[in-house]
Amino acid sequence: MGSSLSLFLNPRGSVAVPPANPGLGDLPESCVASVMVYLNPSEICSLAMLNRGFRAASSADFVWESKLPINYELLIDRVFGGVDDFSNNLCKRDIYARLCRPSYFDGGSKKVWLDKGTGRVCLSISANGLAITGIDDRRYWSRIETDESRFQSIAYLQQIWWVEVGGEVDFPFPAGSYSIFYRLQVGRSSRRFGRRICNSEHVHGWDKKPVQFQLSTSDGQQATTQCYMKEPGKWKYHHVGDFTVTGSAANMKVKFSMTQIDCTHTKGGLCVDSVLICPSEFTERLKRF
């Protein structure tokens, strides 16, 4: 009886009186934080604006650790060179926010970030980080600075017989399904009097044979697709294929390529921006671009 009565007493021995008009602010922070674990980051941030209690609950480390990739320490080590230097004095919420900002690595040729809404890893490789046949010969290829690229630079093909653009990445991808895309444009865009225009002067050869895309992974996965280059003046994401990561304890090496090696005709007028590796559920989103 005494132990039951003590539940209704405050530390001074008086009876604890519940608030006359209880509201969301009266919920214990631990309870609110336990619920937030099941919400996505956007929903957590929205709830944090309701009151002080929710804002404090949204800062709990265990809430944001559940949103981070399970191998986020390996990711930090690969990109920043060490967990200690990166996360010193940072709470899990701040680590999540920092990883959502794109970060360059491998000499600035690659960029990685977490999608803010899902916490999934996205990775992009610039044209400078790709192996392009003939890139050093100005008769065939040239590098052009542009604000239409997230890397501020693209590779432009004027004319060549043999098109081959490939690359590879060795990275600790968290478990999940991923898709690879080449971001390409037929024709060279520029601005004149503030308006975007497309120069199709060098565009030829892409309607004769399709371009072939391939990928392979260190654990034996392979994929092949092909398509014709169309719609001059429009950046498009061309799907290479998908691969799956089943564990998060080791790096996955992924190789990819784009080829058009029919030497019966020349090809030209193609802009190569980058290669994107992202969660497969983003495929429909990219089709709108």
Side-chain angles (χ1 to χ4, degrees):
M1 179 68 179
S3 60
S4 299
L5 181 60
S6 64
L7 295 175
F8 298 95
L9 301 178
N10 63 22
R12 295 182 178 179
S14 59
V15 177
V17 180
N21 297 303
L24 291 175
D26 299 308
L27 290 172
E29 289 181 12
S30 59
C31 292
V32 175
S34 297
V35 172
M36 287 181 171
V37 169
Y38 298 95
L39 304 179
N40 63 47
S42 298
E43 293 169 335
I44 293 172
C45 293
S46 296
L47 287 178
M49 295 188 292
L50 289 178
N51 55 53
R52 292 181 180 177
F54 277 49
R55 184 162 59 252
S58 70
S59 301
D61 269 358
F62 73 89
V63 171
W64 289 99
E65 188 161 16
S66 69
K67 310 307 170 189
L68 287 165
I70 192 170
N71 66 340
Y72 76 93
E73 291 184 341
L74 288 177
L75 190 153
I76 291 172
D77 187 61
R78 175 69 174 85
V79 177
F80 299 96
V83 177
D84 294 337
D85 294 337
F86 172 87
S87 59
N88 188 29
N89 298 323
L90 290 181
C91 65
K92 294 297 190 294
R93 182 190 61 184
D94 291 341
I95 291 175
Y96 184 91
R98 179 63 185 85
L99 291 177
C100 285
R101 299 201 300 268
S103 300
Y104 290 100
F105 67 106
D106 282 0
S109 64
K110 300 180 180 68
K111 186 181 289 189
V112 66
W113 66 96
L114 298 185
D115 177 69
K116 290 182 180 179
T118 63
R120 300 292 305 279
V121 169
C122 300
L123 189 150
S124 186
I125 303 100
S126 72
N128 288 335
L130 301 175
I132 303 176
T133 300
I135 188 63
D136 296 324
D137 194 325
R138 297 279 301 200
R139 295 174 299 172
Y140 306 131
W141 290 89
S142 58
R143 298 195 185 276
I144 302 172
E145 294 185 358
T146 174
D147 58 5
E148 294 189 357
S149 167
R150 67 169 68 247
F151 293 95
Q152 306 302 312
S153 174
I154 62 171
Y156 177 67
L157 171 64
Q158 299 177 85
Q159 179 174 288
I160 203 169
W161 293 90
W162 182 290
V163 177
E164 188 171 21
V165 181
E168 66 178 60
V169 62
D170 193 2
F171 196 77
F173 291 101
S177 179
Y178 297 86
S179 298
I180 300 182
F181 298 86
Y182 274 79
R183 187 172 186 259
L184 309 170
Q185 176 182 264
V186 177
R188 177 178 174 178
S189 58
S190 60
R191 291 195 174 275
R192 181 177 298 173
F193 303 115
R195 296 181 59 186
R196 185 180 188 272
I197 60 174
C198 178
N199 186 343
S200 302
E201 176 186 0
H202 298 124
V203 176
H204 69 281
W206 303 110
D207 57 341
K208 299 182 183 298
K209 292 289 181 66
V211 172
Q212 180 168 282
F213 300 95
Q214 291 182 307
L215 78 81
S216 63
T217 66
S218 52
D219 64 353
Q221 300 178 67
Q222 296 183 346
T224 302
T225 58
Q226 60 182 23
C227 72
Y228 287 90
M229 298 286 104
K230 301 178 181 178
E231 300 184 60
K234 182 179 180 181
W235 285 105
K236 298 192 68 176
Y237 286 95
H238 294 272
H239 187 208
V240 179
D242 304 329
F243 66 94
T244 301
V245 179
T246 56
S248 302
N251 285 9
M252 169 77 81
K253 179 177 287 188
V254 183
K255 295 183 178 181
F256 43 85
S257 66
M258 161 192 159
T259 57
Q260 216 291 22
I261 55 178
D262 183 349
C263 293
T264 61
H265 63 282
T266 61
K267 285 75 65 174
L270 181 71
C271 293
V272 178
D273 173 36
S274 58
V275 171
L276 174 66
I277 303 177
C278 65
S280 295
E281 59 261 35
F282 293 0
T283 300
E284 291 300 319
R285 184 191 307 180
L286 292 173
K287 286 182 179 179
R288 297 196 295 267
F289 292 94

